[in-house]
Amino acid sequence: MEKALTKLGSFTISRKAKQELSAIGDDISRFSSTVEEKAKWVFEKLKGKTKSLPDLLREYNLPPGLFPRNIICYEYDESRSKLVVHLSKPCEVSFKDSSMIRYAPRVKATLSRGKLSGIEGMKTKVVVWVKVTSVSVESYKSDKVCFIAGVKKLRQKDAYDVPREAVSVEEF
């Protein structure tokens, strides 16, 4: 009986070890693909093939000044339409229409023609700071930008024409 229990115990430990090793292998694979993506981005940037973030936003009919001038870098996965913007720390920008936007160190969103949706890491001040979930421009000729932050907030598009310098804040 003791021999059978020992075999069963070693089988269970062996199976758990295989699962853990498999999980570690998956983590290493994800990490290496992330490093590979970052390296490709840096290489393309050095070769001058990567567009600036304002140019990318303009191409998608969004105001080029939606993000601050002093970003570290951005990643855009065209196949999944995922945009990630990296900043050195939480910061905020005041725009010429007196609106304010606060950014987390990493802002994620889905980028499509005239729209940033599923935004994580962006807030605007309505009366208090409210999470922005979507930013859109109805058409190419529209002079309004629509921010969805709990409520729909229309703002003048020309307030976001030029990227502005961000000011550091303590917390997002």
Side-chain angles (χ1 to χ4, degrees), residues 92-139:
E92 67 185 37
V93 175
S94 295
F95 295 90
K96 71 180 183 181
D97 66 349
S98 299
S99 64
M100 294 175 72
I101 297 181
R102 188 170 278 185
Y103 304 89
R106 185 171 69 180
V107 181
K108 295 180 182 180
T110 301
L111 179 62
S112 56
R113 181 82 38 217
K115 188 172 187 177
L116 269 178
S117 58
I119 300 173
E120 296 175 22
M122 185 186 283
K123 293 180 182 179
T124 189
K125 193 158 192 176
V126 181
V127 172
V128 294
W129 288 103
V130 183
K131 180 183 172 192
V132 175
T133 56
S134 175
V135 177
S136 61
V137 175
E138 288 183 16
S139 71

Side-chain angles (χ1 to χ4, degrees), residues 33-106:
S33 71
T34 301
V35 169
E36 182 181 348
E37 288 172 12
K38 297 272 193 234
K40 282 181 184 175
W41 184 89
V42 168
F43 185 69
E44 294 298 318
K45 184 75 173 174
L46 290 173
K47 285 180 14 183
K49 289 188 176 180
T50 303
K51 296 176 186 150
S52 68
L53 182 57
D55 288 343
L56 179 69
L57 293 172
R58 214 177 274 112
E59 185 178 301
Y60 280 85
N61 193 32
L62 288 165
L66 203 52
F67 286 94
R69 182 182 312 141
N70 49 335
I71 67 165
I72 293 173
C73 67
Y74 77 90
E75 304 164 42
Y76 179 56
D77 181 348
E78 202 167 352
S79 65
R80 294 180 16 220
S81 301
K82 297 294 180 188
L83 175 68
V84 180
V85 178
H86 298 274
L87 297 121
S88 60
K89 53 181 115 176
C91 60
E92 67 185 37
V93 175
S94 295
F95 295 90
K96 71 180 183 181
D97 66 349
S98 299
S99 64
M100 294 175 72
I101 297 181
R102 188 170 278 185
Y103 304 89
R106 185 171 69 180

Side-chain angles (χ1 to χ4, degrees), residues 5-28:
L5 287 175
T6 304
K7 273 191 167 182
L8 178 64
S10 66
F11 173 74
T12 303
I13 291 171
S14 172
R15 189 173 70 205
K16 288 223 181 255
K18 284 181 183 177
Q19 289 172 340
E20 287 299 316
L21 285 173
S22 176
I24 290 170
D26 291 344
D27 289 344
I28 289 172

